Amino acid sequence: MVVAIFSYLTLITPVEQRTLHLTMVEGSIGLGVLIGVSLNGVIIDDLGLDTLTYITVLIAIPPLLIAILFVRNATQARRSPSTTYQICSQVLSLRSVTDAFSTITKKRKGFKRCLLSLTFVLYFFPLSGEETFESVSFLYFVKELGFTMTEYSVFNAGKISIICFGGPLVIILVKRFLNPDDLTFALGSCAVTATAFIIMSQPEITGSIWFGGIFLITQVPFSALVKTIQTKLCEEDELGKLFAFVAIMQSVISTVFGVVGKLFYTTSLSVWPSSFIAFTALMYVAAMIIICIMSYVHDRHVRICLLAETNEVEKLATG
């Protein structure tokens, strides 16, 4: 469902507004998780587990009605070759899982294939760091830092709120006053997020966890920027495959680094308990290096395309 939402949103959103809207969708997912976690315990304790099941079913109805009543018309208005039905079919069919890998191997104009492949590498590093952090943050915060469950819950709620509401605000302000290109914006987002984790990895500094958490405001904008860059490198009829591949990649990384994170934490606990946070920061630094490489490749791609267009014009003029 989320893959279809990303695909559909990309189809109906102007390129200049795509990053903001993708950020809002990713932020709303986090907000939904926050609300769900906050209410689950109360509902189960006061109303019972069966009631929670009924509520879950009822909550699923409004999105379904919205999709039926509005999504089809919006697609037709966009006059896109990919209808909502086709997107969902791509996402849900077993064949699309294998076809998703064709987004990497497909031959593209200039350096587009190289750039698209680099975006997946770019996506890998921060996501692996984040999954490492999420897999052991509870153990570290509660056992090592002495957080109470209330303090840990407040930290998570605050972090999610900053990411959900602050992410779109960052996009609006940066686009309004600086308006950098996507790669420059992604580089800045990586730098801020890496700084956040570096600060959080210094527990001897009073308030470092809370202060560093504020700078995680750029996490969601970075993810949305990567998706925006990817959509510009693919054809519209490939969006379902593109986001299906991203979802597969995210699931694999989440599973692998969920285990790796716990092993990493257990191994380094006696030497440097917060090293897993520093590792997350290092992954964002690695992403910054990938962005610099992408910037170089992108410049070459632009020069080659311009040269090809110039040669084509000269041929037409002499012909």
Side-chain angles (χ1 to χ4, degrees):
M1 182 66 178
V2 175
V3 176
I5 291 172
F6 281 133
S7 302
Y8 182 75
L9 183 66
T10 302
L11 287 173
I12 65 172
T13 304
V15 175
E16 62 274 9
Q17 298 178 5
R18 191 171 294 167
T19 302
L20 173 61
H21 291 169
L22 288 172
T23 301
M24 294 173 67
V25 170
E26 295 208 23
S28 67
I29 294 172
L31 183 61
V33 171
L34 174 62
I35 294 173
V37 171
S38 302
L39 295 180
N40 276 353
V42 176
I43 294 174
I44 293 174
D45 289 341
D46 295 344
L47 302 176
L49 184 59
D50 291 342
T51 303
L52 178 63
T53 304
Y54 298 141
I55 292 175
T56 302
V57 173
L58 290 174
I59 290 175
I61 294 176
L64 180 61
L65 293 176
I66 291 173
I68 293 173
L69 296 175
F70 301 107
V71 169
R72 185 184 302 274
N73 291 335
T75 306
Q76 291 171 350
R78 176 68 172 74
R79 294 183 180 181
S80 167
S82 296
T83 64
T84 306
Y85 173 78
Q86 289 171 332
I87 292 173
C88 293
S89 297
Q90 283 185 358
V91 173
L92 296 176
S93 66
L94 180 62
R95 181 182 175 185
S96 70
V97 175
T98 55
D99 286 348
F101 291 89
S102 67
T103 56
I104 297 179
T105 58
K106 179 180 177 180
K107 187 175 181 179
R108 302 178 190 276
K109 181 180 178 181
F111 286 89
K112 277 190 172 183
R113 180 167 64 177
C114 179
L115 285 168
L116 185 60
S117 299
L118 284 172
T119 63
F120 294 120
V121 179
L122 176 60
Y123 194 71
F124 167 81
F125 285 113
L127 185 58
S128 61
E130 290 169 15
E131 292 300 332
T132 300
F133 176 81
E134 294 297 336
S135 66
V136 295
S137 61
F138 173 78
L139 294 174
Y140 175 72
F141 280 44
V142 175
K143 291 190 174 183
E144 294 299 318
L145 298 184
F147 273 41
T148 64
M149 287 301 298
T150 300
E151 288 174 329
Y152 181 72
S153 298
V154 169
F155 174 82
N156 270 336
K159 183 185 72 170
I160 294 174
S161 298
I162 287 173
I163 291 173
C164 293
F165 298 108
L169 181 61
V170 168
I171 296 290
I172 293 171
L173 293 177
V174 172
K175 291 287 187 182
R176 174 68 175 82
F177 294 104
L178 299 176
N179 196 27
D181 61 81
D182 291 335
L183 286 174
T184 303
F185 196 172
L187 183 64
S189 298
C190 265
V192 173
T193 308
T195 302
F197 283 111
I198 290 173
I199 294 172
M200 293 172 67
S201 68
Q202 310 299 318
E204 64 275 7
I205 301 176
T206 305
S208 61
I209 292 293
W210 301 94
F211 183 67
I214 296 173
F215 287 91
L216 295 178
I217 194 171
T218 55
Q219 260 189 328
V220 169
F222 170 77
S223 177
L225 282 163
V226 175
K227 289 184 175 67
T228 299
I229 295 169
Q230 290 173 331
T231 59
K232 292 179 180 179
L233 296 170
C234 290
E235 302 297 330
E236 287 187 350
D237 59 359
E238 294 180 293
L239 292 177
K241 296 178 182 179
L242 168 66
F243 288 118
F245 182 82
V246 172
I248 293 169
M249 185 176 174
Q250 185 171 353
S251 298
V252 172
I253 292 174
S254 178
T255 302
V256 172
F257 280 87
V259 177
V260 170
K262 290 182 174 62
L263 293 174
F264 188 98
Y265 179 69
T266 303
T267 304
S268 61
L269 184 59
S270 59
V271 181
W272 186 10
S274 62
S275 59
F276 74 97
I277 305 179
F279 170 78
T280 305
L282 182 62
M283 292 297 97
Y284 274 94
V285 173
M288 292 171 65
I289 296 173
I290 299 299
I291 292 173
C292 292
I293 295 173
M294 287 182 64
S295 182
Y296 171 76
V297 175
H298 179 263
D299 289 343
R300 290 198 61 188
H301 170 73
V302 171
R303 286 198 297 270
I304 288 176
C305 290
L306 288 174
L307 181 62
E309 290 177 4
T310 301
N311 292 336
E312 187 66 27
V313 170
E314 290 178 350
K315 288 181 180 178
L316 292 174
T318 55

